[in-house]
Amino acid sequence: MSVLRDLTKRASARPAHIVMSEGHDPRIVAGAIAAVQAGTARITLVGPADDVAAQLVAAGTPNNPAIQIQDPETSALSAEFATAFFELRRHKGVTPEIAETQVRNPLVFAAMMVRQGHADGTVGGAVATTSDTVRAALQVIGKAPDAPLVSSFFLMALPDNHPSGRDAMIFGDCGLVIDPTAQELAAITVASCASCQQLLGTEPVAALLSFSTMGSAKHAKVTKVTDAVTLLKENHPDLKADGELQFDAAFVPEVAASKAKGSAVAGQANVMIFPNLDAGNIGYKIAQRIGGAEAIGPVLQGLAKPANDLSRGCNAADVTNMIAVTVLQVAR
């Protein structure tokens, strides 16, 4: 898919240091090796040193200087991280002893590497659940000071020569915020549009989705979406965002012409904002499994530094793509 090739090319022009919290997993190792070979990143693999080293040997890359191993049980960084984690979480009742235990968790150790400046971003979730992966990121890296909330999106890479003429879209939030308020929907839209610009380099055009288009149905769930659109128009008037729109009206120009005349977004959207996690999760998986789109994510947005989550059903190529996305999120 052309958009994935472009991601890799852009990331290789500005490589970063990415730490992988599940360095014992063969998919992680294979994906990390591919990222290094593509020049997108230097990699640290976190995990039991013998297990990680064995995976590198099995993959035929035992001694690449761009791939390092950190074992939280023996690392020289663990003492620094325990002290920092204690100071960070002491207000939550964390003791020095608890901090020492916590930083031996690979998810926490990897997040501490980012927080303490030893790496630029982290990727996990091939083995760990989304809740565990996101919890470590939130507790250790934390929310960006100017972000109203942390949310997520999927980068949906469409098959080459897609009939719509699009090569990629942003779907948000399909992985984290279960039932956003109107204010949260507006914040997710702003963040997703910024992610579209950052990752795809294209002007974001955001459709706030619903089962209704421009007043075709009356319901509190529709009102939530229209309230979010009102907030966007008031606070971000330069942003191309509109709704409420059904997916076909947002995506297909011919449908937009009959359902949403006069909308600058309808039929042109490349950022789809789902009203809740039910719709988002179902929607991205339909696009992936039936539509043939490549789903990269959930990618987190609103954190102080990059930390991203993989699906437990990911493959090595998914890992490589997520590394490229994480590299492009690194502030320069």
Side-chain angles (χ1 to χ4, degrees):
M1 295 180 178
S2 60
V3 67
L4 300 182
R5 294 190 291 272
D6 182 63
L7 279 177
T8 299
K9 181 179 179 180
R10 291 172 57 217
S12 64
R14 42 179 290 183
H17 180 191
I18 305 301
V19 54
M20 314 297 291
S21 58
E22 297 158 334
H24 64 287
D25 187 280
R27 298 167 297 171
I28 294 294
V29 172
I33 290 170
V36 168
Q37 291 173 340
T40 60
R42 292 179 294 113
I43 298 292
T44 293
L45 299 171
V46 175
D50 290 344
D51 294 345
V52 178
Q55 289 292 343
L56 287 169
V57 170
T61 312
N63 298 305
N64 191 319
I67 303 176
Q68 301 295 316
I69 299 172
Q70 284 287 348
D71 186 339
E73 296 289 345
T74 59
S75 173
L77 297 173
S78 292
E80 171 195 335
F81 291 174
T83 300
F85 188 83
F86 167 64
E87 294 297 333
L88 177 66
R89 302 293 294 171
R90 65 192 301 177
H91 70 288
K92 293 291 187 179
V94 170
T95 65
E97 294 75 20
I98 292 173
E100 289 179 5
T101 299
Q102 285 293 305
V103 299
R104 289 198 290 270
N105 178 325
L107 286 169
V108 175
F109 186 95
M112 287 300 302
M113 282 191 67
V114 177
R115 180 181 177 87
Q116 296 297 105
H118 296 284
D120 298 309
T122 180
V123 175
V127 179
T129 64
T130 291
S131 59
D132 287 343
T133 305
V134 174
R135 184 183 304 111
L138 286 172
Q139 289 183 350
V140 175
I141 297 173
K143 185 172 70 65
D146 59 346
L149 81 166
V150 176
S151 60
S152 77
F153 67 91
F154 277 82
L155 172 57
M156 306 299 294
L158 303 184
D160 289 339
N161 302 313
H162 193 273
S164 70
R166 297 170 177 83
D167 58 4
M169 304 181 73
I170 299 293
F171 280 15
D173 180 345
C174 303
L176 190 58
V177 184
I178 294 174
D179 190 16
T181 64
Q183 290 78 9
E184 289 170 336
L185 267 183
I188 290 167
T189 303
V190 172
S192 298
C193 286
S195 294
C196 176
Q197 185 71 56
Q198 181 182 49
L199 296 183
L200 302 180
T202 57
E203 181 184 22
V205 181
L208 282 79
L209 301 175
S210 175
F211 60 84
S212 171
T213 293
M214 299 303 186
S216 65
K218 303 295 183 184
H219 192 278
K221 292 186 181 297
V222 176
T223 302
K224 180 178 80 168
V225 176
T226 57
D227 286 349
V229 172
T230 298
L231 290 170
L232 289 167
K233 292 185 183 300
E234 290 175 352
N235 299 319
H236 302 276
D238 295 333
L239 197 66
K240 283 189 177 179
D242 205 0
E244 85 283 14
L245 292 167
Q246 292 164 293
F247 188 91
D248 58 353
F251 189 70
V252 182
E254 293 79 10
V255 177
S258 63
K259 286 188 173 183
K261 293 178 181 178
S263 172
V265 167
Q268 308 298 321
N270 56 10
V271 177
M272 300 293 186
I273 303 300
F274 292 84
N276 56 47
L277 197 56
D278 282 332
N281 187 272
I282 292 167
Y284 100 78
K285 287 182 176 176
I286 290 174
Q288 179 186 35
R289 301 300 180 182
I290 296 179
E294 185 85 18
I296 303 171
V299 183
L300 302 182
Q301 50 191 7
L303 290 168
K305 294 182 179 181
N308 286 317
D309 181 29
L310 293 159
S311 166
R312 284 176 286 172
C314 69
N315 57 33
D318 297 328
V319 175
T320 304
N321 290 332
M322 184 63 91
I323 290 171
V325 166
T326 307
V327 167
L328 291 173
Q329 288 183 306
V330 174
R332 306 291 175 165

